[in-house]
Amino acid sequence: MSSKKSAPQRPDQTDHLPEQSRQALHGFNKALDDATRMVVKGLGAERWQALTIPLLSILLSLLVISVVILAFGNNPLEVFSSILAGAGWFAKSNYGGGQSQLTDLINLATTLTPLLFAALGVVVALRCGLFNIGIAGQMVLAGFIATVFVGYSGMDALVARPLVLVIGVVVGALAGALIGFLKYRFNIHEVVSSIMLNNIFMYVVAYIIKLNYHDPVSRNMRAASSDARLLTDPVHLGEASARLPVGFLLAVIAAFVLWFFLTKTRQGFEMTAVGKSPKAAQYAGIKIGRTVVFAMALSGAMGGLAGVTHYLASVPSIAPNVLPSVGFDGIAVAFLGNAHPLGAVLAATLIATLSTGATYMSSIVGVRQEIAALITGMILLFTACGGYLKSWLENKKSMIADADRAAADRAAGSKGGDGA
Amino acid sequence: MSILDVNYAAILVDGLSFALPLLIIAIGGIYSERSGIVNLALEGLLGFGAFVGALFVASTAGLFAAHSDLPMYFSFLFAAIGGGMFAVIHAVLCIKFMANQVISGVVINILSVALTGFFTSTINANFFGQASERFMLQTSPRWDIPFLMDIPILGAAFTRVYPFMLIILVVATFFWYLLYKTQFGMRVRAAGDNPQALDAAGVNVSRVRFGAVVISGVLAGIGGMSFAYSISTNFSPAIYMGFGFLAIAALIFGNWKIIPTFAACLIFGLTRSAAFNLLPVFDASAAVLDLALAAPFVVTLVLLAVFGKKNMAPRALGDVYDKSKR
Amino acid sequence: MAKQDAGLSQEIILEVRNLTKRFPGIVACDNISLDIRKGEIYALLGENGAGKSTLASMIFGLYQPDEGQIYIRGQAVSIDSPNEAVALDIGMVHQHFKLVSNYTVAENIILGDEPRKKALGLFPYVDIKSAEARIEQLSRDYGLEVDPRAVIHDLGVSTQQRVEILKMLYRDAEILIFDEPTAMLTPQEIESLLQIIKNLRDQGKTVIFITHKLDEVMEVCDRCAILVRGKLVDISNTADTSPRELASKMVGRDIEFSAKRPTKGMGDTILEVEGLRVEDANGFPKVNDVSFKVHAGEIFAVAGVSGSGQTELADAIAGLAKTKKGDIKLKGHSLSKMNVRKRSEDGIAYIPEDRQSVGLVLDFCLDQNLALKSYYRKPYCKTSLLKPVAFSEHAKGLIDDFDIRCARGPKTITREMSGGNQQKAIVGREIDQGADLLIFVQPTRGLDIGAIMAIRERILDERDKGKAVLLISLELDEVMDLADTIGVMYAGQMLKVAAAADLSMNQVGEFMMGVTGNE
């Protein structure tokens, strides 16, 4: 169709330029065109966009951060490599007593676990069209109840640890379901009720801690007994030794189970339908209220697991009057992972790497460790533009296709001998 | 001690000193959301605004007379500019790049915490030669308002007033007028209800929304700076205490209208200050304070459960407006 | 029939030359040239998708032509935005009104061109008082009755349309474009709109009237241009032509006017509605004391202006809206205790009014949407696990049966399909359920003539198979063409139920306006 129009040469606006610069301009245009084609070819495949676009975002943000690092007179490559070393992906130049690359990796897994659970909680809710920013509150509540009822009980590890996990699931699910219930029964937006409940849980838990469970030295909650904590007894790994995080494997398995659940089961289908179009779901005979409450309960259960794996593994105990930042970082991880359970695994690994590696990097290179958060922010910033990039690619793709068709037409025309 | 010893003046003033910054942030949110752009970024905007304001104070410390209040007034100006500039990111992401507005808000918040945290400590280390993650501010003066303070009972609200409270009252009145009485305000509200209608009337929807989002940053910046003066007398990442989210709750509670939102802010502010001021009087343990602080959130939830059914978000809230798709 | 060439000025106010507009995959307007005289009513006539709206949109600056030129009063102009169109004194009433629902009439009219004043000489504000006065004056001048202080969401369709007309007049528009203005109106409302349009012409305005209804063209228009698939096929003086001639040019062949196919005989009562009351969120009755019966082999068509309670009636039968009072019976038993799914399993199929947000999950694949009512049953689902093969097999069958065009078969994202094919998918899915009662709400809205015919044929087929059909349509033509029995709703009440043969189109129209006692 449009081939007819693009075939006649446009009036050349470069006529007034000297021959040399005209050629240069053409050359530049050609290069630009080639570059566009390459980008479109590389990123245009829709099947891979879930991967290619985040990767591009990561690349771009590293580029921007490099400029910042350079501006402060440091070597960006050194910064990045020491972050990776700090997280255990590379060997450090030397290790303190009882530490090794393996223990660093185990540390990474320990911090990654609650982050992944938190992100999975956000993902599940997003699938159902809900935005759960109440993960932080669900974490505090679950961590608190588990510490009180199991952490101080002196139960045997074999009973205590599973019980802690069960408490995490149950308490989190109930707290999550409450948000869902408030939404469907009273029309309270889940963002608002999450914010309210976050604060309510935080203050009430702080009150009870200060009343009964205060540790006067740390000013935090008294720590749970090591039998109740979700870390194994120290395992010897050559020279080094470390406690293994019980929840890590569980979190990865949870990601796979959720993926299967969301895409392959009836309940997952119903949740997705409600998330994409509540009206159509209702029309299809799906019970909206029940689905919303169920989705929030599932999301909350993940939040609860994030809570117990955070407070009973990666940090010593609960600090009163503070909401865990992991609960909010989980939102970032979920978006970075394209609201997909398996994407969340990759994204959580990346974010946990940045945050655990930054301390070591800071001590070696001297760039403030807050740079890690900055990198995360930048990656998210670019990821947020992914939708625009997608439509840009669509556009360019059809433009290139049109141009190619026009060129082919022209070629065919000149072969026929009647070229205009 | 008895009920007679309660410092009612302090409850009123403290309550207002919390409610007013919250209000101005919420008005910012109202502008953005009435124009159709979801704004979960208020938390990040208020923090970045306060950062820029405090940076101004820290970097001009030698230029002003020792006890001059001028840096404080300037800090509000710079906080407004800083918040407005940071809001440009949200506006560009949501309007130009058609990003998911919720995601964009989350991004802004994370970026704000990261940027201010990184630059506060880096600037302190590299330029001021000290290892600190905060910018110190001067103590804000407190004013007694002549005549008004002599009114029985309510007069208490006009003693020991922070200057920012007056600034906010003036600014809030101005932006109330702008939203409900002027051409721009009319267009903002139309953009959030039916952008197609606004477009058909020959108005550039993107530009109106852009303006509204930038205003949300300006107002959040002023609110953030106020919190920096009233709560901590410094800027540090501790400013991110969730006040931005509280403002969102207030504006939803206020049904996206300025006056009811003010009422919501007053509930938050007064219950909070009552908790702080009443507990010592009744010799309650310090822990009870936490319980009291939870009260406004419980009250809000209950009120929303009772009255929430009538709440109506702007019709086009969250819709990406793509001119090419009619 | 007052159309006289005698008084008509010969001044060309608007001229388009060789206008072409392409969209991906189609040429919406193909090299169109025409000129319009000042003070005439000029019709753009054609089927859905013929390019009339695209042409008008280019004149109003909503789209830019790929080729060609527009001249206003002899001057070549490029109209890049509606703003420029307004500056050139062009106004347009869109098919979907562009009104801010929570604003008053006056606020809507002045939006974008607000009169301003300064309080105390300092604070600018929108001077709504003087705007209201001017609007009252305008509505008196042109006979457009409307209260400038009324809020839009309290107004009916025809009043909202008057607001749109006032919007143009407020901006001193000289060329007024009406895009399918009669689609949502009753015959009586149409009559009064056509009178308004004639008034406008008599006051010297030029009117461009987009429509596919021949009788309207014949009644008010001076000339008409006929468009077929983007091409201009003819320009006629309406005085010199006949509806039949126009029709054959418009469709490109001779068409048969409404082939009516009466029922082959009715069977048992399938649906029985008794004293039904449905309320909105504020307790206001949307359906009030409605009773009727639909039998096997009968098409019961409900006529009424938009918002008379038809949607709520359909929703209540399907279980999507709460029944406040009364009862709904299917095949003799009450549905009151049954939820949406039970009713569907019990034998109700429902093609909802809003196909995009209710009938389909647009982000789902076609095969998922085609199983939207049955995904939870065997063979699609066994012990909670979905069976993708069953989904796609089922979808393939329906795609063939109902001629659903989809780029990637069962895996096509529904959002990417055209409106007509989306509708075919819903109709296919619902008919496939083999239900005893089929509820069709606005089944052909916005579709092209081919799709309309196909869907109407399906409705008649189902009736002939002995199904009970409840058809709800705002298009009176459709009601008259298909119905065996007609029920007319007005303000939530069923004002009249009678055999289709016993009612004329005008009688139905009067009931739609709430006029009774004309029997």
Side-chain angles (χ1 to χ4, degrees), chain C residues 275-290:
Chain C
L276 181 70
R277 182 186 173 94
V278 180
E279 294 178 356
D280 67 6
N282 301 318
F284 180 81
K286 302 297 280 185
V287 176
N288 201 353
D289 196 17
V290 164

Side-chain angles (χ1 to χ4, degrees), chain A residues 1-2 4-5 46 260 263-267 269-270 272-273 276-277 279-287, chain C residues 25 320 339-341 350 352 357-361 363-364 368 372-373 375-376 381 384-386 429-430:
Chain A
M1 304 154 282
S2 58
K4 261 281 177 310
K5 198 194 163 199
E46 273 155 55
F260 182 83
T263 51
K264 310 281 180 211
T265 70
R266 178 167 70 85
Q267 287 81 0
F269 182 91
E270 292 179 347
T272 317
K276 301 274 188 201
S277 170
K279 280 190 205 159
Q282 192 193 11
Y283 162 81
I286 297 169
K287 295 197 176 82
Chain C
L320 288 162
N339 62 24
V340 180
R341 177 157 297 165
Y350 180 24
S357 69
V358 177
L360 296 165
V361 181
D363 289 321
F364 271 1
Q368 290 175 311
L372 202 57
K373 288 279 184 74
Y375 69 90
Y376 59 91
C381 177
S384 272
L385 291 186
L386 299 179
R429 176 184 72 209
E430 297 303 311

Side-chain angles (χ1 to χ4, degrees), chain C residues 78-332:
Chain C
S78 98
I79 309 174
D80 294 332
S81 72
N83 266 352
E84 285 168 56
V86 170
L88 292 164
D89 299 336
I90 304 171
M92 181 161 177
V93 176
H94 302 269
Q95 203 172 349
H96 301 285
F97 302 149
K98 314 249 175 179
L99 297 170
V100 179
S101 64
N102 57 358
Y103 276 20
T104 65
V105 168
E107 285 172 328
N108 265 291
I109 290 172
I110 63 175
L111 188 66
D113 185 20
E114 303 87 349
R116 278 174 291 174
K117 263 194 180 167
K118 282 191 174 164
L120 312 169
L122 198 62
F123 304 108
Y125 68 96
V126 175
D127 184 10
I128 199 80
K129 287 255 154 43
S130 73
E132 283 168 357
R134 184 157 169 235
I135 290 159
E136 270 168 353
Q137 184 61 45
L138 278 174
S139 59
R140 270 198 300 276
D141 290 352
Y142 290 93
L144 294 159
E145 208 181 304
V146 80
D147 172 13
R149 282 165 211 88
V151 177
I152 291 299
H153 58 58
D154 298 334
L155 301 177
V157 180
S158 68
T159 318
Q160 292 192 8
Q161 191 174 51
R162 287 203 283 273
V163 177
E164 287 282 9
I165 298 172
L166 279 166
K167 245 195 207 171
M168 300 192 291
L169 297 174
Y170 184 85
R171 287 164 174 74
D172 300 319
E174 287 298 323
I175 302 169
L176 312 178
I177 306 171
F178 288 82
D179 189 0
E180 301 270 6
T182 59
M184 308 274 273
L185 305 182
T186 63
Q188 285 74 9
E189 285 171 336
I190 292 173
E191 201 52 49
S192 98
L193 173 70
L194 295 182
Q195 190 53 49
I196 290 170
I197 289 177
K198 283 185 218 165
N199 284 350
L200 291 167
R201 189 235 344 244
D202 295 344
Q203 305 229 17
K205 308 282 185 194
T206 308
V207 176
I208 299 175
F209 190 93
I210 301 173
T211 187
H212 63 266
K213 295 182 184 165
L214 300 169
D215 48 342
E216 291 166 5
V217 173
M218 295 306 290
E219 189 180 341
V220 294
C221 297
D222 300 298
R223 292 195 294 158
C224 81
I226 299 163
L227 297 173
V228 176
R229 269 174 255 113
K231 287 200 170 69
L232 179 66
V233 293
D234 193 38
I235 299 176
S236 333
N237 285 320
T238 42
D240 310 333
T241 185
S242 70
R244 189 161 289 274
E245 196 182 332
L246 287 178
S248 67
K249 283 175 184 161
M250 184 166 108
V251 183
R253 62 187 149 83
D254 280 336
I255 54 161
E256 292 158 42
F257 279 103
S258 63
K260 236 184 141 133
R261 208 159 98 197
T263 176
K264 293 175 173 170
M266 299 183 195
D268 299 341
T269 302
I270 299 293
L271 176 74
E272 186 174 1
V273 175
E274 288 174 350
L276 181 70
R277 182 186 173 94
V278 180
E279 294 178 356
D280 67 6
N282 301 318
F284 180 81
K286 302 297 280 185
V287 176
N288 201 353
D289 196 17
V290 164
S291 304
F292 63 94
K293 287 179 188 171
V294 186
H295 305 87
E298 175 188 16
I299 296 178
F300 186 103
V302 177
V305 296
S306 165
S308 298
Q310 307 97 316
T311 322
E312 290 80 0
L313 172 66
D315 279 352
I317 296 169
L320 288 162
K322 251 202 195 118
T323 300
K324 262 285 162 196
K325 253 191 225 157
D327 198 10
I328 303 166
K329 286 182 188 161
L330 189 72
K331 295 173 283 188

